[in-house]
Amino acid sequence: MNRRALRTAAPALALMAALASGGAVAGGAAALAQRLTIVDTHIDAPSRLQQRWADLGLPAPDREFDHPRARAGGLDVAFMSIYTSAAQDMSAQARQSAHAQIDAVEALVARHPDRFALLHSPQRVQAQLGQGRVLLAMGMENAAPLEGDPDAIAGFFARGVRALILAHGANNAFADSSYEAAPRWNGLSPAGARAIAEMNRLGMMIDVSHLSDDATRQAIAQSRAPVIAGHSAFRALTPGFARNLDDDLARAIAAQGGVVQIPFGTGFIEPRAAADLAALYRARNAFNARAAELAAAGAPPEDRAAFEARWRAEHPRVTGTLDALLDQIDHGVRLLGAAHVGIGSDFDGVGGYLPAALSDVSTYPVVIAGLQQRGYGEQEIAGIMGGNLLRVWAEVEAVAEMQP
Ligand SMILES: [Zn+2]
């Protein structure tokens, strides 16, 4: 049967019923999840550990990532996000927090050497997998820990960081953010351009998620190696949500050999939820502008907590669906080819705002079953679930080895 016929014949609800009853679809997809090398490029476990500690080698029911569920889901390589907020930009706090988060990842491995290992190179995946281990790679989300200095990247590379997002929720010393109403640099700053060259030199992946369109375009143009979008969906399906990738920029990423890793969060993949998020960022920007005006006038500030609470009350959460994720993957495959699409769930990073079917790291077989239902073959599924990312990472390393 061709892919289109399968799509109309098998709605995702039937798939979910089959999974719930332990049907044949689930069995096949679960076995495939165990056999394939699954790579997820965005899991926010380390920053959550800083807020509230848990042992992720054991069942951790208030988290979306722990070893038992990662094994159940067939997860092989988990990129731990070393996240610092825009509020920490240019503060010593950010560097301190990044090191503490890396320490926490190392502590997981030290506590459970039979369950976790640190992964520093895609060449090491096959040698390090096995005996039930989940490999932990690290990516840095927001360059605040560099304190404005591209030379600081080498120190974090030495500690195992293998991907870097230059900015997060606000324009910073390196790049403009997609969340900002107005640019500061019209893309990358001079330090941002130096950071791109330094990542190429070291063999660190450039991750353009969160960057403004101009910063993304410049990062692609300046990089000698393919770049990734480690947790970005497609804006074409969520109009007006600048945080997601524009089709032309996605094509430019693929043309250079890179990959777009689709997140699972409802706010990224469901159009109405993304529209709400975009409106929230606009409202926050307006709130911040008013706050600055009030402060300048010496007037008392508005109540930020009340503003946020009112927003949440007026914009109830949207129900996320597996189909929305599959629609995103389909769009990427049609636009770029199956070799340029992957997954970067954002587990532990979206406050639990996820489709019920995609609630934690045990649910990769649900994604695989969904792809099978939509007619994808094993080769394509293997690429999307991890092979494509490992290929790009290896290319990034190869470029570093042939220095100009
Ligand atoms: Zn993020």
Side-chain angles (χ1 to χ4, degrees):
M1 211 187 299
N2 70 31
R3 187 177 290 171
R4 197 162 305 275
L6 267 170
R7 268 177 206 158
T8 45
L13 271 178
L15 164 66
M16 293 317 300
L19 287 169
S21 64
V25 171
L32 191 52
Q34 294 299 324
R35 196 161 78 245
L36 300 178
T37 303
I38 298 183
V39 182
D40 185 328
T41 42
H42 205 91
I43 296 178
D44 275 301
S47 55
R48 288 202 65 187
L49 286 178
Q50 301 304 299
Q51 294 156 353
R52 188 178 163 87
W53 187 85
D55 188 343
L56 303 182
L58 306 173
D62 68 334
R63 306 300 151 104
E64 290 154 9
F65 171 84
D66 64 28
H67 183 269
R69 281 176 292 166
R71 285 300 305 148
L75 178 60
D76 296 295
V77 178
F79 272 79
M80 299 280 101
S81 174
I82 307 301
Y83 165 75
T84 52
S85 72
Q88 295 172 305
D89 275 332
M90 299 311 281
S91 82
Q93 248 184 355
R95 185 169 293 185
Q96 173 64 27
S97 172
H99 281 300
Q101 290 179 55
I102 296 169
D103 287 350
V105 174
E106 289 177 345
L108 265 179
V109 176
R111 209 179 309 127
H112 302 285
D114 52 331
R115 297 179 191 182
F116 294 115
L118 282 175
L119 180 68
H120 290 160
S121 165
Q123 315 298 345
R124 297 280 303 145
V125 171
Q126 291 316 320
Q128 287 185 273
L129 274 179
Q131 293 103 43
R133 263 195 221 103
V134 174
L135 306 183
L136 304 178
M138 286 183 281
M140 183 175 276
E141 180 172 28
N142 195 20
L146 306 181
E147 298 178 0
D149 179 9
D151 290 336
I153 296 173
F156 285 105
F157 185 88
R159 292 213 62 191
V161 174
R162 289 296 180 271
L164 173 60
I165 298 171
L166 285 174
H168 187 255
N171 303 334
N172 66 10
F174 296 95
D176 291 335
S177 162
S178 62
Y179 287 146
E180 292 266 22
R184 174 174 169 195
W185 306 102
N186 293 313
L188 298 176
S189 73
R194 280 181 54 212
I196 297 292
E198 178 66 352
M199 285 188 266
N200 281 168
R201 185 184 75 81
L202 292 164
M204 186 182 283
M205 285 183 280
I206 295 158
D207 184 341
V208 297
S209 289
H210 286 290
L211 301 188
S212 72
D213 286 2
D214 282 336
T216 299
R217 191 175 296 112
Q218 291 162 23
I220 297 165
Q222 291 174 23
S223 175
R224 291 184 293 112
V227 310
I228 68 169
H231 63 312
S232 294
F234 294 100
R235 197 183 302 165
L237 302 186
T238 59
F241 188 45
R243 166 66 181 83
N244 277 343
L245 257 188
D246 168 78
D247 276 359
D248 285 342
L249 291 173
R251 274 197 209 95
I253 289 173
Q256 200 176 26
V259 62
V260 178
Q261 306 278 102
I262 316 277
F264 297 0
T266 302
F268 293 92
I269 60 176
E270 292 284 354
R272 198 153 70 77
D276 280 351
L277 262 187
L280 172 61
Y281 294 130
R282 277 196 300 275
R284 272 195 191 136
N285 282 337
F287 181 96
N288 291 338
R290 267 198 321 276
E293 278 170 27
L294 290 172
E302 281 183 78
D303 185 340
R304 185 177 291 272
F307 160 79
E308 295 282 343
R310 199 166 56 240
W311 177 272
R312 278 197 301 279
E314 287 169 3
H315 301 82
R317 284 186 166 190
V318 171
T319 302
T321 63
L322 171 64
D323 273 326
L325 174 67
L326 298 174
D327 289 347
Q328 286 280 351
I329 293 175
D330 275 348
H331 180 82
V333 170
R334 275 196 301 272
L335 187 71
L336 313 172
H340 300 283
V341 178
I343 54 164
S345 65
D346 217 353
F347 283 137
D348 280 320
V350 291
Y353 195 13
L354 290 155
L358 304 170
S359 54
D360 60 41
V361 289
S362 70
T363 63
Y364 302 105
V366 175
V367 179
I368 291 174
L371 292 173
Q372 288 174 328
Q373 291 271 9
R374 290 196 178 200
Y376 287 87
E378 184 167 329
Q379 198 85 357
E380 291 170 308
I381 293 172
I384 292 165
M385 296 306 291
N388 296 335
L389 188 281
L390 293 178
R391 179 197 74 233
V392 173
W393 190 2
E395 285 173 32
V396 168
E397 279 193 347
V399 168
E401 279 155 19
M402 32 178 229
Q403 295 298 330

